[in-house]
Amino acid sequence: MATVPNKANEFENIPSIKAKTLRINLNPDIYGTFAEIGAGQETARHFFRAGGASGTIAKAMSAYDKAFSDAIYGVEEDGRYVTQARLKTMLSHEMQLVEERIDRKSNPDYRFFSYANTVATIDFSKRYKGHGWIGLRFQLDPNQKEHDEIILHIRFKQNEARLQQETLGILGVNLIYGAFFKFNRPKKLLKYLYDHIDKDTIEIDMVNFTGPNFRDVDNRLMSLQLIKNDMTDAVMFGPDGNNLLPAAVLYKKNILALRGSFRPVTKVNMDMFQKSYDIFVRDQTVDMDKTIVIFEITLSNLKASGEIDEQDFMDRAELLCSLGHTVMISKFQEYYKLVEYFNNYTKARIGLTMGVNNLVDVFDEKYYRHLSGGILEAFGKLFFKDLQVYLYPMKNAQTGQIMTSNNVKVHPRMKELYKFFKYNGKVMDIIDYDPDIMHIFSRDVLKRITNKEEGWQEMLPEGIAEIIEQKDLFVRKDLPEAQEVDEE
């Protein structure tokens, strides 16, 4: 099969898939099982073809029939098969079997592994491209009691099941090879997953590293790599720092999204969130138990000062997670793309919390010149069905005037369009805002922190200043001031 190296690897000496599998097969210590459901035994096939597989493969199986699968692994609570829970069950079951059945006294140097995937390839109608979970549980040391684990979620982009199967097989080989030979360079390991795979064929939208050899790996930073490497358009992580699958988090949920720089998160950010959330959940169509709040940072915001400063990103993430929030990093500079993304997973209520400056930008035609339908096409996607904007006011520094949806100034050509959405209830003012904090902007707080000035502490939510001071966030080096739109 002809392969196309991606641009990230084109100047590197990439081992062929056969060379990778042969290196593993000829290693006398690497020994384990393959359990592949939904797309054939595509990864195991590469190891069999390379030769010497008897020293590596303890067992290879495909429990295709649901009854057989349930008989082997049990029935999942949700009754589904292409899930992270199913994958983890497979990994655990297979690893336990190999450890029980292989005598350690006779094989003291064996480093066990269990590779598994559970996927759904493209359907016959070609409406759903397919997706899946891939994972590896393994030992880097034969005496290792706690296993290491890498789990990925993928989305297929190809239009033929056969091509998806081939891509899955190569990805599996890259994962196993990377785990054993590149484990100490997790960022590189992620890039190597696309060896001999074109990025247009598959998307990796979630990854988590766990285990003793990955204790220093922050999965939020791994999420950032997926975005930086163009492996996906959006990633999410929870308050515990572990990465989340956006599709699972957003599925059929009411979504309230707050975009900002959060550099650092301020009292204004939290007031925007709390006041808009109060309005959002009062809506009779919104079920609080089926509602998710997203604090979103765009990739362009992370790049506002040039290249992404990973420590700066981690500082922002640290504070948002400490407040118990779910964070999204996206490539969607325009709001309509963010809403379009949400609409892939839910038809429920969507709310966007934004400041006056952001609303003015939404009605700026320059952001939509690349669309054949211009701003009307974008607005058709942005204000689709149940979307509502919750507008936080801004105080004019020169005049002291409070700017709201009633006196905001958009381009003259956009006035009638703005009135249409305003009068149809798509823009709602937050009226119970805190007037005593309207002078606070993240950029000013950041400048005070980096210049070691006083007075910034009271501008932040309770407990945040203490975290910044204890962990020296934002002050280890002089961070360049971002040339960014105010997003409070």
Side-chain angles (χ1 to χ4, degrees):
M1 173 184 161
T3 57
V4 182
N6 61 57
K7 291 181 180 179
N9 298 136
E10 63 185 359
F11 298 113
E12 299 182 28
N13 184 19
I14 307 169
S16 67
I17 293 302
K18 183 176 181 180
K20 289 186 176 188
T21 52
L22 198 56
R23 183 178 178 186
I24 293 170
N25 282 351
L26 296 179
N27 188 308
D29 302 334
I30 300 175
Y31 189 78
T33 62
F34 293 77
E36 304 183 69
I37 297 179
Q41 294 181 288
E42 297 303 317
T43 302
R45 178 168 59 89
H46 285 289
F47 287 87
F48 282 123
R49 284 184 172 181
S54 60
T56 297
I57 301 178
K59 179 182 74 174
M61 63 172 288
S62 292
Y64 261 68
D65 185 85
K66 291 181 179 180
F68 264 78
S69 183
D70 288 343
I72 296 168
Y73 301 117
V75 180
E76 299 297 330
E77 285 186 18
D78 58 8
R80 296 162 64 203
Y81 295 87
V82 186
T83 63
Q84 182 173 198
R86 190 55 159 194
L87 178 75
K88 282 181 169 286
T89 299
M90 294 168 69
L91 292 172
S92 179
H93 178 85
E94 298 299 339
M95 181 62 93
Q96 184 178 343
L97 285 184
V98 76
E99 290 181 328
E100 287 175 355
R101 293 174 177 177
I102 300 300
D103 183 13
R104 266 292 181 196
K105 292 180 181 178
S106 304
N107 305 280
D109 298 325
Y110 269 177
R111 291 180 286 158
F112 294 137
F113 73 87
S114 66
Y115 168 83
N117 64 50
T118 173
V119 302
T121 53
I122 194 168
D123 64 343
F124 285 107
S125 66
K126 299 189 185 299
R127 288 181 60 200
Y128 304 103
K129 291 286 183 71
H131 72 110
W133 291 90
I134 301 174
L136 185 74
R137 185 171 291 189
F138 61 105
Q139 295 175 308
L140 291 170
D141 185 294
N143 299 314
Q144 186 177 327
K145 300 300 182 185
E146 184 186 350
H147 301 124
D148 293 300
E149 191 172 276
I150 305 173
I151 287 180
L152 314 171
H153 182 267
I154 60 168
R155 294 192 177 279
F156 294 111
K157 296 183 178 181
Q158 293 155 303
N159 290 318
E160 288 185 39
R162 177 185 61 82
L163 296 176
Q164 292 182 353
Q165 290 168 337
E166 291 174 352
T167 300
L168 179 65
I170 295 172
L171 182 64
V173 172
N174 289 338
L175 173 60
I176 298 169
Y177 184 86
F180 280 106
F181 300 114
K182 304 293 181 183
F183 65 91
N184 59 334
R185 303 173 71 193
K187 290 182 190 176
K188 287 286 187 182
L189 191 157
L190 280 182
K191 283 189 175 182
Y192 297 149
L193 292 175
Y194 278 89
D195 283 357
H196 308 291
I197 297 175
D198 194 303
K199 285 185 180 175
D200 292 336
T201 64
I202 200 166
E203 173 186 354
I204 300 174
D205 56 1
M206 200 210 82
V207 61
N208 271 320
F209 292 79
T210 56
N213 289 290
F214 297 128
R215 286 215 170 93
D216 294 332
V217 174
D218 193 303
N219 282 307
R220 294 169 295 191
L221 197 53
M222 293 303 104
S223 261
L224 183 61
Q225 305 309 309
L226 296 181
I227 291 277
K228 284 177 64 177
N229 297 336
D230 289 323
M231 296 178 181
T232 189
D233 290 330
V235 293
M236 294 177 67
F237 51 85
D240 61 358
N242 277 326
N243 294 333
L244 304 170
L245 179 64
V249 174
L250 303 174
Y251 185 64
K252 292 187 176 181
K253 292 287 198 342
N254 303 292
I255 303 169
L256 178 64
L258 172 65
R259 172 175 288 185
S261 64
F262 310 117
R263 193 185 188 221
V265 57
T266 67
K267 284 183 175 179
V268 172
N269 295 135
M270 299 314 295
D271 197 44
M272 290 175 73
F273 149 65
Q274 193 59 62
K275 299 301 167 54
S276 59
Y277 179 77
D278 292 343
I279 300 171
F280 190 69
V281 296
R282 283 201 300 267
D283 191 300
Q284 292 183 348
T285 64
V286 173
D287 182 347
M288 286 181 65
D289 295 331
K290 295 182 179 179
T291 297
I292 180 78
V293 176
I294 306 293
F295 279 65
E296 187 228 6
I297 306 173
T298 64
L299 189 66
S300 60
N301 186 289
L302 291 174
K303 288 181 175 178
S305 301
E307 282 304 302
I308 293 175
D309 184 316
E310 291 184 352
Q311 189 57 59
D312 177 45
F313 161 74
M314 288 304 302
D315 291 350
R316 306 191 211 190
E318 180 86 20
L319 298 179
L320 289 171
C321 288
S322 74
L323 290 168
H325 294 300
T326 300
V327 181
M328 170 184 276
I329 311 298
S330 84
K331 295 168 72 175
F332 310 126
Q333 187 168 2
E334 298 90 355
Y335 272 109
Y336 80 88
K337 291 182 179 178
L338 177 64
V339 172
E340 200 172 25
Y341 180 81
F342 289 154
N343 276 322
N344 289 330
Y345 305 113
T346 186
K347 301 306 175 191
R349 192 85 163 159
I350 297 175
L352 299 177
T353 304
M354 64 177 73
V356 170
N357 282 343
N358 295 94
L359 185 66
V360 172
D361 279 345
V362 165
F363 283 85
D364 192 331
E365 288 180 287
K366 72 180 181 183
Y367 294 111
Y368 314 109
R369 287 170 185 156
H370 61 289
L371 297 174
S372 57
I375 194 169
L376 292 180
E377 179 182 339
F379 277 26
K381 297 173 180 177
L382 176 60
F383 291 105
F384 179 69
K385 290 189 177 178
D386 281 337
L387 180 128
Q388 194 163 45
V389 170
Y390 301 106
L391 188 67
Y392 197 82
M394 182 180 75
K395 188 174 184 178
N396 187 306
Q398 278 74 42
T399 66
Q401 183 184 23
I402 302 299
M403 306 297 294
T404 68
S405 68
N406 297 316
N407 57 8
V408 65
K409 291 180 172 55
V410 299
H411 193 281
R413 281 201 303 271
M414 295 296 107
K415 277 187 177 180
E416 296 306 315
L417 187 62
Y418 172 73
K419 286 180 183 178
F420 172 80
F421 290 110
K422 163 72 175 166
Y423 294 148
N424 279 278
K426 294 297 185 181
V427 180
M428 179 179 290
D429 285 300
I430 296 172
I431 58 176
D432 57 342
Y433 60 91
D434 184 349
D436 296 330
I437 61 174
M438 296 187 71
H439 64 286
I440 298 174
F441 291 95
S442 286
R443 64 173 186 273
D444 297 331
V445 177
L446 179 67
K447 184 180 285 186
R448 292 191 186 202
I449 294 172
T450 54
N451 291 340
K452 298 183 179 180
E453 299 175 13
E454 292 298 321
W456 56 269
Q457 290 88 347
E458 61 264 22
M459 298 180 176
L460 307 183
E462 186 177 350
I464 293 300
E466 288 79 2
I467 295 174
I468 291 175
E469 291 175 328
Q470 287 169 9
K471 299 189 176 183
D472 286 338
L473 306 187
F474 303 112
V475 296
R476 281 165 310 286
K477 60 179 181 175
D478 290 332
L479 294 172
E481 184 176 350
Q483 298 301 310
E484 60 195 32
V485 174
D486 295 331
E487 294 182 320
E488 282 84 1

